[in-house]
Amino acid sequence: MGNESNGEAAWCFSQIKGALDDDVTDANIISCVEFNHDGELLATGDKGGRVVIFQRDPASKTVSPRRGEYNVYSTFQSHEPEFDYLKPLEIEAKINKIRWLRAKNPVHFLLATNDKTVKLWKVSERDKSFEGYNTKGENGLTKDPQNITALRVPSVKQIPLMVEASPRRIFANAHTYDINSISVNSDQETYLSADDLRINLWHLEVTKESFNIVDIKPTNMEELTEMITAAEFHPTECNVFVYSSSKGTIRLCDMRSSALCDRHSKQFEEPENPTNRSFFSEFISSISDVKLSNSGRYMISRDYLSIKVWDLHMETKPIETYAVHEYLRAKLCSLYENVCILDKFECCWNGKDTSIMTGSYNNFFRVFDRKTKKDVTLEASRDFVKPKTVLKPRKVCTGGKRKKDEISVDCLDFNKKILHTAWHPQENIIAVAATKNLFIFQDKF
């Protein structure tokens, strides 16, 4: 984690992306954040269907200490709003998930999905152009061969660097319900897409067909008791994947056992304490995100109030449980009324699997150190956007006398929420999406 200061992890501000005014249009709200496998590129998707890719500033890696600074590399429109005339229903352009493929050469590939369609994008650089063609004029039109009287040797001309994004594959018409997850397999040839009731397996070269590997849709929809909330492939074993449900369970499936993985290999679930049972139990136990560790031995699951670490060798209970914002348990009634109880918070690992991060309200986000068992609450605030500013740990007061640096639980802004976070795969650099702004923090200089 960050350097330790007074027993607390120390992080400092590095950059903020996006306009600093208070004017928020729905299309500009960031809906996903993802580093690529070496952390050189950072992609964000927004509700308007745009993807913005940031590239690590080369100079920020050579200075001492290294800085986590990123510059805009490419911006493109991935998805457009559509209308499904059969439903009838408007399909939003909003990017739900972005997943990078591992780079094999200077060209980069990423998958981006909205509610219904997954697209494979190629992002490449071009700094040369060819001119002096024999059969093509300067205006790009084809010449009449009979008018060509002499042969020219085309020449290569140096041009300013251009970054081009082009759609290579479009995977559509396979989901009746909204897609909530995509995950690239470790074989880098297949990927899965999951919606509320089904998970499909695709080959990256084949757009016309996919294989349905999980289907929990009951014959009679009135018997529906749970939905799929997230799904992910194992980082090294290409036949294994996990998916979480709204009932608070995580199922691990092995595709070698059968073509349709309706029968799971393992089921991870913590029995509910009957004394804590309430009207809100089903809401707060629903898992909003699940992430396997880089080593493949552990996984984390995020529910409304906590984040849990599971050992894949032990199904009966998590090995660690961290309270994210336990002070909200007394506020569940008002969170139900303002629909915040349905918010889907994501979670992520650091590169060494020693720390985990997730978001909260009031633009707070939480970082937990698994080794020291220390945790810290930090704020993504535009009030502290001076580079190298050390973030002050925030504390929430639940009652009694409030201390100077504490904020009362009644003063929390539930419209400001950190749903999407990402951690650099090799360094202590984190990206946090706060409405329309992307904050980048790193450990203390």
Side-chain angles (χ1 to χ4, degrees):
M1 215 192 286
N3 296 327
E4 299 279 321
S5 169
N6 300 324
E8 303 249 70
W11 291 87
C12 66
F13 172 83
S14 179
Q15 285 178 299
I16 183 171
K17 305 294 183 183
L20 295 179
D21 56 34
D22 291 320
D23 185 27
V24 180
T25 55
D26 203 46
N28 293 333
I29 295 174
I30 298 172
S31 53
C32 57
V33 186
E34 187 79 4
F35 280 103
N36 74 337
H37 291 88
D38 60 7
E40 287 299 297
L41 298 176
L42 172 62
T44 66
D46 65 24
K47 286 191 172 183
R50 291 181 298 271
V51 172
V52 181
I53 301 174
F54 301 93
Q55 184 182 45
R56 182 87 178 263
D57 186 338
S60 74
K61 295 186 290 182
T62 56
V63 296
S64 183
R66 286 161 71 98
R67 295 200 305 271
E69 292 178 2
Y70 286 76
N71 302 319
V72 174
Y73 180 62
S74 176
T75 303
F76 58 93
Q77 187 74 30
S78 174
H79 289 70
E80 300 279 358
E82 298 174 58
F83 194 81
D84 185 338
Y85 290 96
L86 294 176
K87 291 283 189 283
L89 188 75
E90 187 176 356
I91 303 168
E92 286 184 287
K94 177 193 167 194
I95 308 295
N96 292 339
K97 286 286 186 289
I98 289 173
R99 291 291 180 263
W100 291 92
L101 276 68
R102 287 188 179 273
K104 298 174 184 173
N105 52 45
V107 177
H108 297 279
F109 289 91
L110 64 83
L111 288 168
T113 185
N114 69 348
D115 285 343
K116 297 291 183 238
T117 305
V118 184
K119 294 185 181 183
L120 175 67
W121 287 89
K122 174 185 175 183
V123 182
S124 56
E125 295 181 356
R126 191 156 66 92
D127 61 355
K128 296 178 180 67
S129 71
F130 296 91
E131 55 182 32
Y133 287 101
N134 289 288
T135 57
K136 197 190 292 183
E138 299 297 329
N139 56 6
L141 298 175
T142 304
K143 292 180 181 177
D144 185 346
Q146 293 181 345
N147 295 334
I148 300 172
T149 55
L151 270 179
R152 292 191 298 175
V153 177
S155 59
V156 179
K157 181 185 175 185
Q158 201 76 24
I159 60 170
L161 180 69
M162 293 173 59
V163 180
E164 298 177 323
S166 55
R168 304 298 291 174
R169 303 274 187 279
I170 297 176
F171 307 89
N173 306 319
H175 285 277
T176 308
Y177 307 98
D178 292 348
I179 298 171
N180 56 45
S181 303
I182 50 174
S183 178
V184 181
N185 201 344
S186 58
D187 62 14
Q188 296 293 296
E189 291 184 358
T190 55
Y191 78 93
L192 64 77
S193 58
D195 64 28
D196 294 340
L197 298 177
R198 297 189 180 101
I199 300 176
N200 292 334
L201 179 68
W202 300 82
H203 194 285
L204 285 161
E205 298 291 333
V206 182
T207 59
K208 291 183 179 177
E209 65 175 355
S210 62
F211 297 96
N212 180 226
I213 53 175
V214 172
D215 188 346
I216 65 167
K217 183 183 178 183
T219 311
N220 180 1
M221 283 296 278
E222 289 180 5
E223 296 170 6
L224 181 69
T225 57
E226 67 177 331
M227 294 192 296
I228 297 167
T229 55
E232 188 178 53
F233 266 120
H234 192 280
T236 55
E237 297 177 30
C238 62
N239 51 285
V240 174
F241 67 94
V242 298
Y243 69 93
S244 58
S245 87
S246 56
K247 270 193 166 180
T249 61
I250 305 165
R251 296 180 178 94
L252 182 142
C253 301
D254 189 332
M255 292 191 290
R256 295 173 300 184
S257 60
S258 66
L260 189 63
C261 299
D262 281 355
R263 293 183 180 175
H264 50 268
S265 301
K266 292 185 178 182
Q267 179 164 307
F268 302 84
E269 185 175 17
E270 186 174 28
E272 186 188 10
N273 185 341
T275 58
N276 292 337
R277 181 80 190 163
S278 74
F279 171 77
F280 306 108
S281 294
E282 286 189 22
F283 293 100
I284 63 174
S285 64
S286 176
I287 294 172
S288 56
D289 196 19
V290 61
K291 292 276 171 58
L292 285 147
S293 65
N294 298 289
S295 68
R297 173 67 189 269
Y298 305 101
M299 66 180 169
I300 48 176
S301 64
R302 173 68 207 266
D303 57 44
Y304 192 67
L305 294 177
S306 66
I307 188 166
K308 296 171 182 174
V309 182
W310 302 82
D311 186 330
L312 292 192
H313 295 178
M314 190 171 80
E315 304 165 56
T316 51
K317 63 178 181 178
I319 55 171
E320 298 158 29
T321 300
Y322 301 97
V324 177
H325 39 217
E326 186 61 28
Y327 48 79
L328 293 183
R329 192 177 288 275
K331 294 270 177 194
L332 291 177
C333 189
S334 55
L335 291 165
Y336 173 79
E337 288 172 357
N338 62 18
V339 204
C340 284
I341 203 166
L342 300 178
D343 286 333
K344 310 288 185 201
F345 291 96
E346 294 173 9
C347 52
C348 62
W349 294 89
N350 70 340
K352 295 179 181 177
D353 299 336
T354 55
S355 296
I356 51 182
M357 173 172 60
T358 191
S360 182
Y361 294 104
N362 207 68
N363 277 2
F364 288 171
F365 61 98
R366 305 269 281 134
V367 182
F368 303 91
D369 189 317
R370 297 182 58 218
K371 284 185 175 178
T372 64
K373 303 301 178 192
K374 286 177 179 161
D375 61 84
V376 64
T377 302
L378 301 169
E379 183 181 5
S381 171
R382 291 184 303 196
D383 297 335
F384 310 104
V385 290
K386 188 179 176 186
K388 302 185 183 182
T389 302
V390 177
L391 300 187
K392 285 185 179 178
R394 303 302 307 266
K395 295 263 192 310
V396 177
C397 169
T398 53
K401 195 173 181 183
R402 186 169 61 88
K403 294 178 183 174
K404 182 186 174 186
D405 293 332
E406 291 182 338
I407 180 170
S408 168
V409 68
D410 297 319
C411 297
L412 296 176
D413 188 341
F414 293 105
N415 292 317
K416 293 179 178 179
K417 54 193 87 170
I418 305 289
L419 300 177
H420 316 287
T421 59
W423 201 312
H424 190 289
Q426 295 158 11
E427 298 180 46
N428 280 329
I429 299 168
I430 55 179
V432 173
T435 318
K436 65 172 182 175
N437 293 119
L438 180 72
F439 289 82
I440 300 173
F441 304 105
Q442 68 176 89
D443 52 358
K444 190 178 173 185
F445 287 91

